[in-house]
């Protein structure tokens, strides 16, 4: 015996199954991402973000001076607080094409992904380190005025031996 099913009922069934599959896969993906920050022994893995800075021509040294004066001390304080494990900076050895050019790459190794994404409010540290807030804000504004581009890139290690 065949039960009559309308086209609308079939479409509704397919839509509900599709939505259910989508919701299941997105929550499974989120769980997998959370679990990927935990290594076999149960400890969280460090989370690494590279910050690229491309300055306007002729302003690379000025940018570096302002970065070292106003931003690097804040990052060092966050290392002292245990939020970050390491901050390092690299520069390209040779030149590249203009569209791929960057002047400074600052790599920050956070304790874990949660800390890297927790919207930490560093304003108390900044007020402590820079009592002259007017000068600090003016110099930070200048630091970003002389940039052509800035982008952030979270990265992860790829173990070629495991593949």
């Amino acid at each position: 015996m065949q039960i009559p099913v309308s086209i609308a009922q079939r479409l509704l069934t397919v839509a509900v199954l599709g939505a259910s599959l989508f919701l299941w896969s997105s929550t499974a993906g989120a769980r997998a991402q959370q679990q990927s920050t935990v290594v076999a022994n149960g400890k969280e893995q460090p989370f690494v973000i590279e910050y690229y800075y491309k300055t306007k021509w002729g302003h690379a040294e000025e940018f570096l001076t302002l970065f070292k004066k106003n931003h690097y001390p804040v990052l060092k304080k966050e290392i002292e607080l245990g939020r970050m494990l390491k901050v390092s900076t690299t520069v390209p050895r040779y030149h590249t094409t203009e569209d791929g050019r960057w002047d400074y790459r600052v790599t920050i190794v956070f304790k874990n992904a949660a800390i890297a994404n927790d919207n930490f409010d560093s304003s108390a540290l900044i007020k402590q380190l820079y009592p002259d807030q007017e000068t600090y804000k003016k110099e930070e504004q200048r630091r970003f005025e002389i940039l052509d581009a800035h982008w952030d890139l979270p990265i992860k290690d790829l173990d070629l031996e495991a593949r």
Side-chain angles (χ1 to χ4, degrees):
M1 174 172 168
Q2 223 175 14
I3 301 173
V5 178
S6 71
I7 292 175
Q9 287 174 320
R10 287 181 187 166
L11 290 175
L12 180 61
T13 302
V14 169
V16 167
L17 287 173
S20 298
L21 181 60
F22 173 76
L23 289 172
W24 176 82
S25 66
S26 64
T27 58
R31 281 193 307 270
Q33 186 175 4
Q34 286 175 333
Q35 291 170 351
S36 72
T37 63
V38 179
V39 292
N41 64 5
K43 292 185 179 177
E44 294 180 342
Q45 292 183 4
F47 190 82
V48 182
I49 303 178
E50 293 179 338
Y51 299 86
Y52 290 84
Y53 299 94
K54 178 181 176 180
T55 63
K56 293 179 181 175
W57 280 103
H59 293 280
E61 287 300 317
E62 180 185 4
F63 174 85
L64 184 60
T65 298
L66 292 169
F67 181 91
K68 287 170 60 177
K69 179 180 179 188
N70 292 322
H71 193 56
Y72 186 53
V74 176
L75 299 176
K76 290 195 307 186
K77 281 286 190 188
E78 291 196 50
I79 290 173
E80 289 175 23
L81 292 172
R83 295 178 43 75
M84 298 173 183
L85 304 176
K86 182 180 178 184
V87 175
S88 61
T89 303
T90 55
V91 295
R93 186 177 298 269
Y94 301 114
H95 67 278
T96 65
T97 59
E98 182 59 25
D99 61 332
R101 179 179 71 85
W102 52 270
D103 296 293
Y104 300 104
R105 181 183 70 207
V106 177
T107 303
I108 299 178
V109 181
F110 289 89
K111 184 177 178 181
N112 57 47
I115 288 175
N117 295 290
D118 69 359
N119 294 321
F120 178 72
D121 183 5
S122 60
S123 60
L125 292 177
I126 291 169
K127 287 176 183 169
Q128 175 191 1
L129 290 168
Y130 307 101
D132 182 356
Q133 285 290 291
E134 186 176 326
T135 300
Y136 169 81
K137 289 175 183 175
K138 181 180 168 189
E139 290 176 349
E140 279 296 272
Q141 180 178 342
R142 176 65 183 160
R143 182 166 70 97
F144 283 94
E145 285 173 354
I146 60 178
L147 285 180
D148 266 342
H150 168 68
W151 62 97
D152 308 337
L153 183 63
I155 62 168
K156 65 179 184 175
D157 288 333
L158 175 64
D159 184 356
L160 294 175
E161 299 297 323
R163 291 187 160 229

